[in-house]
Amino acid sequence: MMDAFFLQQLINGVTLGSVYGLIAIGYTMVYGIIGMINFAHGEVYMISAYLCAIGLALLSYFGLQSFPLLILGTLVFTIVVTGVYGWTIERIAYKPLRNSTRLAPLISAIGMSLILQNYAQISQGPRQQGIPTMLDGVFRFHIGEGFVQITYTKVFILIASFAGMLLLTWIIGNTKLGRMCRAVQQDRKMASILGINTDRIISIVFVIGASMAGLAGVLITMNYGTFDFYAGFIIGIKAFTAAVLGGIGSLPGAMLGGLILGIAEAQFSGMVNSDYKDVFSFGLLVVILIFRPQGLLGRPIVAKV
């Protein structure tokens, strides 16, 4: 019975962690390129939840009922519009302050986060909203005297999130765009001297990060069905924690950190107490950073002499 329960929580944790990883990618890519934390990234995820509901409503209104076409259309709509939000945030909150002090873009990003929260509250209302269940059904496996089940929705979330991670990993590792992103990350000034348009690359990185948050927004909204204008704050902090846990600036680290955080939360919630899962998650982060300050897959911190 205990084995079945442990396995059930493991499945729940991997599902949650894969989504944390998608959002953490946005934090880690922006930090890797410009050395700053985009604190408006959680609100980009929140906007994507509303866009998911709007996309579903529009497609249903025009008579589209097939689930594959409905979810594909919603994903494309949400990811594209969320990418535009990411580009706009970079242009407004970061680009004008690129040569300013390190504190100025941080304050600007926090201000953008508050603006997006209030924008969603005013335009969509303060009350919690939701979407109906789109994918019914469950796989059930008997293990000893107990059983483990995974819904079709969670299967779709796992497939979509890992597909998104693999596609992005391939783009960064095997394409011209990926090589330019890595060059700008390693030495922005030298990349500019070699003819790379660093401003364009930075904007593209914001768009990619926002698109991953858009994908995560659709998946989480499908799973839980509800959201509000404040939804981006907590999950944004969790995804940022995952990025730091895995090693801020490391793409594989963001994915690994998200999975570890999701699994740890799920196991602690099921076996101890769900009320204190956040305390446990941040406690785990502190312990890991004490022994490995750069995160699990981050580069060693070298003091400048």
Side-chain angles (χ1 to χ4, degrees):
M1 188 70 176
M2 189 64 182
D3 291 340
F5 182 77
F6 176 84
L7 187 56
Q8 180 67 66
Q9 292 302 103
L10 181 64
I11 292 171
N12 295 339
V14 171
T15 305
L16 180 62
S18 63
V19 179
Y20 282 161
L22 284 175
I23 305 174
I25 285 171
Y27 285 108
T28 205
M29 287 191 71
V30 169
Y31 182 86
I33 291 288
I34 63 175
M36 296 288 179
I37 302 299
N38 178 17
F39 280 109
H41 191 60
E43 271 53 55
V44 173
Y45 153 78
M46 177 269 296
I47 293 290
S48 72
Y50 282 98
L51 290 172
C52 172
I54 292 170
L56 286 172
L58 286 174
L59 292 173
S60 298
Y61 176 78
F62 287 110
L64 195 62
Q65 300 298 329
S66 169
F67 173 78
L69 294 177
L70 193 61
I71 194 61
L72 179 62
T74 301
L75 278 171
V76 171
F77 169 75
T78 303
I79 289 172
V80 169
V81 178
T82 308
V84 173
Y85 272 94
W87 181 84
T88 305
I89 289 171
E90 192 275 331
R91 289 284 162 166
I92 294 175
Y94 279 95
K95 188 175 181 181
L97 302 172
R98 194 157 293 160
N99 298 317
S100 182
T101 62
R102 291 181 65 86
L103 191 60
L106 177 66
I107 300 300
S108 179
I110 294 173
M112 182 61 68
S113 171
L114 295 173
I115 288 171
L116 289 175
Q117 270 190 30
N118 285 274
Y119 159 68
Q121 183 181 13
I122 292 170
S123 62
Q124 303 297 324
R127 289 184 294 182
Q128 194 173 67
Q129 300 187 36
I131 62 171
T133 301
M134 296 177 59
L135 196 57
D136 292 316
V138 62
F139 293 109
R140 181 169 293 179
F141 309 95
H142 289 276
I143 299 178
E145 297 180 358
F147 64 89
V148 173
Q149 66 180 24
I150 177 169
T151 63
Y152 291 174
T153 301
K154 287 184 178 179
V155 172
F156 177 77
I157 289 172
L158 288 171
I159 293 172
S161 57
F162 281 107
M165 290 179 184
L166 289 173
L167 176 62
L168 183 59
T169 301
W170 180 82
I171 290 172
I172 296 299
N174 298 281
T175 65
K176 182 179 178 181
L177 173 61
R179 289 192 292 272
M180 290 192 291
C181 288
R182 284 182 277 128
V184 174
Q185 179 180 9
Q186 291 173 10
D187 193 328
R188 196 193 315 173
K189 188 174 293 185
M190 181 57 69
S192 180
I193 291 172
L194 293 174
I196 296 175
N197 188 333
T198 56
D199 284 343
R200 181 182 298 170
I201 294 300
I202 291 171
S203 295
I204 289 173
V205 165
F206 270 84
V207 170
I208 292 173
S211 298
M212 291 295 103
L215 174 58
V218 174
L219 298 179
I220 292 182
T221 304
M222 283 182 60
N223 190 38
Y224 293 109
T226 58
F227 53 89
D228 58 26
F229 71 96
Y230 202 63
F233 177 75
I234 294 298
I235 201 163
I237 293 294
K238 294 287 185 67
F240 175 62
T241 301
V244 174
L245 184 65
I248 192 77
S250 168
L251 195 61
M255 302 172 190
L256 178 63
L259 289 172
I260 290 175
L261 187 65
I263 292 170
E265 272 193 21
Q267 295 295 353
F268 187 85
S269 298
M271 297 183 178
V272 184
N273 192 325
S274 62
D275 293 338
Y276 299 102
K277 63 179 182 179
D278 294 343
V279 176
F280 175 76
S281 300
F282 288 108
L284 178 66
L285 173 68
V286 170
V287 170
I288 290 177
L289 292 183
I290 287 173
F291 295 101
R292 192 171 175 81
Q294 71 269 31
L296 295 173
L297 299 182
R299 297 176 181 176
I301 300 171
V302 180
K304 295 182 180 179
V305 179

